[in-house]
Amino acid sequence: MSDHYDLIVRGATVVTPAGPIHADIAAEAGRIVRIRPEIPGTASETVEARGLHVIAGIIDSHVHFNEPGRAHWEGMEHGSGALAAGGGTAFFDMPLNSLPPVTDVASFALKRAAAESSSLTDFGIWGGLVPGNVDQLEPMCDAGAVGFKAFMCDSGAEEFPPSDLATLRAGMKRAAELGMPVAVHAEDASLARLGAAEQRARGTDVRSWLRSRPVELELAAIRIAVDIAGETRCALHLVHVSSPQGVMLAGDARRRGVDVSIEACPHYLLLSEEDVIRLGAPAKCFPPLRPEELRLGLWRELEACEIDTIGSDHSPAPPDMKRAGDFFAVWGGISGCQHGFGLLLSEALARRPPEIALPHMSALFSTNVARRFRIDRTKGRLAEGFDADMAIIDIAGEHTLSNGELLYRHRQGPYDGRKSRVRIVRTIARGRTVYAQGRIAPGATPGHLIRPSQPSEPYHRSSHA
Ligand SMILES: [Zn+2]
């Protein structure tokens, strides 16, 4: 008698951290139970994947799905569906721009309920660090937060104020005691205000706006953030680092012993200043897209393994907020969780052979994210015993991306017309197909809250005092 499984994926090239292998994958009760060539037996669902690659499901640790409160900007269902169409099987939702923002346990519970009722994939929840809420970090940690997010400049949402240095220091100290990472949007608040005042007086066009937020804002803030992280022994996660100089500053701090991880976003690696000038609002984000030579420099840092994770920073808004004569007033946020990862992988494959590009990008998309946020006992790799989260991709042909295929609530994005050699054929979350053949699979079930495991080495404040 042969075995029967819930799912068998047959004949694919499976991208594991050790490199690609040719194998079948069998899943049972949402977990991978076997990975080996030609698994005997039958399955309730058999997926033929000969000629295709399978990567671990992408864990997007940086999205703004804006629910509750601003589901008309995106919402959990649209956002997670679009993510699944892009190969994603889990996301961490940022504490803003939902209403209320997640800055205490009550708002954490509201976010969790919203995701549990309509997210198509598993999800984690970031807590916010804002002035006056340091006493809320522990309860949010107990509720299952993956980390805490702070802004060093205006966030664009009044209800989520930036952290002054005292807040940042106290928050990082508390987070370190809890063994939790703090994610920081690193742009210097006073330089941002100065730049805006200076440039806006000269013009309100896209070029003036670009001049108002030079790389120096990022570098100034990173210097401060890594110093405080070093002082407080906090695990610092720098989100959306936009420049090679920023990566180098953080890398230097790491070599001095500061626990810092670096996130890059697809848009800083795929688009440059010229694109925001050409495309306008769909390509406006904070920090802004950079000159071409910095984009290429960021690739060099990525290929030198100086970057740890890729997050989309998917941050949509209704179309009327993406239109204005005054470019300073346009909403800053790129919608990218559906097209960004695949196109980035396509670019990586154009630069290096698949046996190098695929495992490295898969580590940045999944394995490193799982490790950094301590969900690596169940997620982040294709291995027996892990959640059956995977994306089946075709890298053989080339196709043209279209905004028409976007599953976002608002079909806006900066990649329309770009050629990609990576097509997401099917996305499987906990052993069930959530996306295939261009659409969300019927009967998808809501995802679960992902809780970080306890720190393996408990933090002892006294040992560093
Ligand atoms: Zn963000």
Side-chain angles (χ1 to χ4, degrees), residues 115-459:
E116 277 175 341
S117 72
S118 59
S119 174
L120 299 171
T121 68
D122 289 349
F123 60 91
I125 297 176
W126 285 97
L129 167 61
V130 292
N133 88 330
V134 171
D135 64 334
Q136 282 300 309
L137 302 189
E138 184 168 13
M140 285 194 286
C141 171
D142 292 343
V146 291
F148 306 113
K149 166 80 178 289
F151 270 74
M152 293 176 75
C153 61
D154 285 344
S155 73
E158 263 173 41
E159 66 279 1
F160 197 92
S163 287
D164 52 83
L165 295 186
T167 300
L168 211 53
R169 188 170 278 111
M172 283 200 201
K173 182 168 177 289
R174 191 75 194 101
E177 287 160 1
L178 297 165
M180 295 284 279
V182 170
V184 163
H185 177 123
E187 284 189 292
D188 186 90
S190 52
L191 289 177
R193 272 193 296 274
L194 208 68
E198 231 174 71
Q199 293 300 330
R200 203 170 188 162
R202 292 180 198 171
T204 58
D205 60 312
V206 56
R207 288 171 199 272
S208 305
W209 175 76
L210 281 169
R211 278 193 296 270
S212 77
R213 284 185 104 93
V215 170
E216 188 47 45
L217 269 71
E218 175 168 274
L219 304 184
I222 288 178
R223 282 186 198 102
I224 294 168
V226 296
D227 277 355
I228 301 178
E231 212 179 281
T232 56
R233 303 264 168 177
C234 176
L236 172 66
H237 184 62
L238 291 169
V239 292
H240 52 53
V241 177
S242 67
S243 65
Q245 302 96 311
V247 176
M248 286 182 232
L249 266 183
D252 289 345
R254 178 149 56 195
R255 284 178 276 278
R256 292 197 305 271
V258 180
D259 181 1
V260 52
S261 52
I262 302 165
E263 176 194 80
C265 304
H267 41 272
Y268 299 110
L269 291 151
L270 293 167
L271 302 165
S272 72
E273 227 173 49
E274 291 307 313
D275 293 296
V276 63
I277 292 166
R278 181 173 59 87
L279 294 166
K284 180 181 176 182
C285 58
F286 295 107
L289 298 174
R290 300 301 187 190
E292 180 66 5
E293 65 268 23
L294 298 195
R295 182 183 80 84
L296 296 173
L298 208 53
W299 270 106
R300 283 192 291 275
E301 296 299 321
L302 181 143
E303 289 171 350
C305 297
E306 291 290 312
I307 290 169
D308 301 281
T309 66
I310 302 288
S312 71
D313 196 6
H314 178 76
S315 184
D320 60 339
M321 293 178 67
K322 284 300 238 177
R323 271 193 298 264
D326 175 355
F327 204 76
F328 286 77
V330 169
W331 174 259
I334 286 181
S335 296
C337 71
Q338 183 173 336
H339 280 163
F341 294 97
L343 190 57
L344 190 65
L345 186 54
S346 175
E347 183 69 22
L349 286 165
R351 298 172 60 94
R352 296 197 293 181
E355 61 275 18
I356 294 172
L358 285 168
H360 186 210
M361 297 310 287
S362 183
L364 291 164
F365 291 170
S366 309
T367 322
N368 295 356
V369 180
R371 189 181 307 132
R372 182 54 163 168
F373 297 102
R374 299 201 314 268
I375 59 169
D376 52 339
R377 290 180 196 170
T378 53
K379 292 198 183 288
R381 62 174 65 210
L382 294 171
E384 292 175 8
F386 280 68
D387 287 351
D389 294 343
M390 62 195 92
I392 302 177
I393 62 173
D394 183 355
I395 63 168
E398 194 180 65
H399 69 291
T400 304
L401 300 177
S402 158
N403 279 0
E405 69 209 7
L406 293 172
L407 302 183
Y408 309 143
R409 186 176 292 277
H410 309 290
R411 288 180 177 172
Q412 49 197 4
Y415 304 119
D416 190 55
R418 291 278 294 251
K419 297 250 191 297
S420 176
R421 61 179 283 193
V422 173
R423 195 165 58 83
I424 312 299
V425 176
R426 180 184 294 261
T427 304
I428 294 169
R430 288 189 191 258
R432 291 185 60 145
T433 294
V434 281
Y435 169 86
Q437 281 141 5
R439 59 178 64 88
I440 298 302
T445 48
H448 304 263
L449 176 74
I450 311 170
R451 280 173 174 273
S453 58
Q454 291 302 309
S456 48
E457 287 168 28
Y459 178 78

